[in-house]
Amino acid sequence: MDAAVADVRLEQSNERLEAVTQARADERAITKTYQGALNAARTREALLRTEIDHLRLVSDGLRDQNADGARRLAAAPPAAVLEYATALGAVFEDCRAAYAELVPKADGHAGDARTLREAWPVIPPRPAAGSTP
């Protein structure tokens, strides 16, 4: 009888040990995935910062060119003013087209982000001891 009880206890202990080992393995897998996602996000953030810095440099250069063009335009002959206006119209059209392409992408991203937030599983809080649910 004692041997049978000991065997049952050993079996239960082994099952608990297996459950704990599996839980730890699952935890390591989740942590690895989480850390990988964090590292990827940091890499993307660093790339975005680099791109933003480059964009600021380009934007500053365009602003300086625009200011210089405005100064030179004041003394330019009418033909040069017309040519400049035509070139500005082409640039404006390119900017408008780029903006029009960006709007649906931004809307799609915002929709995806909202869907993820709303679909994310939420565990309801447990009622406090002694309270009624």
Side-chain angles (χ1 to χ4, degrees), residues 94-112:
D94 289 347
C95 291
R96 188 209 53 77
Y99 182 75
E101 290 175 8
L102 185 61
V103 169
K105 291 177 183 178
D107 286 344
H109 172 72
D112 290 346

Side-chain angles (χ1 to χ4, degrees), residues 31-53:
T31 300
K32 183 178 179 183
T33 301
Y34 175 71
Q35 192 61 48
L38 284 178
N39 290 340
R42 287 182 185 124
T43 301
R44 286 190 307 271
E45 185 178 348
L47 179 61
L48 286 173
R49 283 188 189 134
T50 301
E51 289 176 353
I52 287 170
D53 290 343

Side-chain angles (χ1 to χ4, degrees), residues 5 55 64 112-113 121-122:
V5 169
L55 180 62
D64 293 344
D112 290 346
V122 176

Side-chain angles (χ1 to χ4, degrees), residues 111-122:
D112 290 346
R114 182 175 182 177
T115 300
L116 287 173
R117 274 192 313 275
E118 291 174 355
W120 193 258
V122 176

Side-chain angles (χ1 to χ4, degrees), residues 2-49:
D2 289 337
V5 169
D7 286 342
V8 169
R9 287 184 180 161
L10 177 61
E11 186 178 322
Q12 289 175 343
S13 294
N14 286 340
E15 288 174 1
R16 285 187 198 125
L17 180 60
E18 286 178 25
V20 168
T21 302
Q22 183 61 45
R24 286 184 180 158
D26 292 345
E27 181 182 4
R28 281 192 298 275
I30 290 168
T31 300
K32 183 178 179 183
T33 301
Y34 175 71
Q35 192 61 48
L38 284 178
N39 290 340
R42 287 182 185 124
T43 301
R44 286 190 307 271
E45 185 178 348
L47 179 61
L48 286 173
R49 283 188 189 134

